[in-house]
Amino acid sequence: MRNIASASTSHTVRLFQWRTLHERHLMNISIIGTGHVATTLAASWSKAGHAITLGSRDPQSKAGQFEYPVASLADAVAASDVIVNATPGGQSVEIFTSIGADTFAGKTVIDVANAASPSFDLIYPDSSLGQVLQDALPAAKVVKTLNTAAMTVLVDPSSLSGESSVFVSGDDDGAKDTVRGLLGDLGWASDSIVDLGGIASARGAEYYFVLFFALVQAGGPQFNIKVVR
């Protein structure tokens, strides 16, 4: 118990240091999708003070279902500088390209999806969804993150008994700084955020999905991994 309490105290101190060293900027965040991942992220970032819009291909059918406004895909993208891909990974490219690549110019696109078939095979075995989205949206700043654990763990890392890691991949350093701040709002200490490098490195984070699924089958989804050096 003493070790767990000590780890929790250490995590809290580092998170406080992250808060004092980096000025928080409240943002308008549009989350494309209305499923479990989208609403889980929306609830957590809304509590941190950010304004949330959900994007849907049929916003009228979603009216009144959420405490956040639901807009069309194009309107949701236009309303925010930070766009989150919370669509099923196998449909993400089709959905995002249907909006129009120019619509994303200058915007940070946070990709949290894993592109896998119903049989859990990777759809982009020689690349990654993050890379394919960046290629399809060349004027956007795509950052891959929040795809290596259950979303309930990723929005509340303190729910685990010990410390763990979350990963970021992207070509734009400014966009990655924005994402680090948003990860901090979810409770991630700065030294728990592992920068893997450019968007090409998203392939590694997405490949981990195969092991993640095996671990879920072996013992359930309430776990994460930690990089130890």
Side-chain angles (χ1 to χ4, degrees):
M1 291 295 291
R2 185 179 305 166
N3 290 339
I4 293 175
S6 176
S8 177
T9 300
S10 175
H11 175 86
T12 301
V13 169
R14 288 196 310 278
L15 183 56
F16 175 77
Q17 291 171 337
W18 169 258
R19 281 279 178 262
T20 56
L21 289 172
H22 298 268
E23 181 182 357
R24 294 183 67 240
H25 295 283
L26 299 182
M27 302 178 183
N28 294 319
I29 301 173
S30 287
I31 302 176
I32 307 303
T34 57
H36 169 73
V37 169
T39 55
T40 301
L41 285 169
S44 296
W45 278 326
S46 177
K47 287 179 182 177
H50 301 290
I52 305 297
T53 299
L54 300 179
S56 170
R57 285 182 285 191
D58 186 11
Q60 291 184 342
S61 70
K62 308 294 182 181
Q65 295 185 27
F66 308 102
E67 57 184 290
Y68 319 101
V70 181
S72 69
L73 300 180
D75 287 346
V77 172
S80 301
D81 290 324
V82 175
I83 316 300
V84 181
N85 174 31
T87 66
Q91 303 173 30
S92 296
V93 175
E94 176 187 356
I95 292 170
F96 273 66
T97 55
S98 74
I99 301 169
D102 291 344
T103 311
F104 294 90
K107 297 180 185 288
T108 296
V109 175
I110 303 176
D111 176 31
V112 306
N114 284 302
S117 70
S119 59
F120 298 100
D121 294 319
L122 295 174
I123 292 177
Y124 304 109
D126 298 318
S127 184
S128 68
L129 174 58
Q131 179 72 71
V132 173
L133 281 174
Q134 183 63 85
D135 293 343
L137 311 171
K141 297 171 284 189
V142 178
V143 179
K144 187 77 183 189
T145 191
L146 293 174
N147 70 306
T148 51
M151 191 53 67
T152 50
V153 171
L154 291 166
V155 300
D156 184 14
S158 65
S159 64
L160 302 178
S161 61
E163 299 175 14
S164 59
S165 301
V166 66
F167 306 93
V168 295
S169 299
D171 292 336
D172 188 278
D173 289 338
K176 286 197 284 189
D177 283 342
T178 295
V179 171
R180 289 186 190 96
L182 291 172
L183 292 174
D185 288 332
L186 300 179
W188 289 99
S190 58
D191 62 356
S192 295
I193 302 171
V194 180
D195 188 338
L196 298 177
I199 195 62
S201 67
R203 182 172 64 171
E206 292 189 29
Y207 279 18
Y208 171 70
F209 176 76
V210 177
L211 177 57
F212 168 77
F213 180 67
L215 289 169
V216 169
Q217 291 182 307
Q222 194 66 15
F223 71 92
N224 196 16
I225 58 174
K226 177 175 175 61
V227 175
V228 179
R229 300 188 188 280

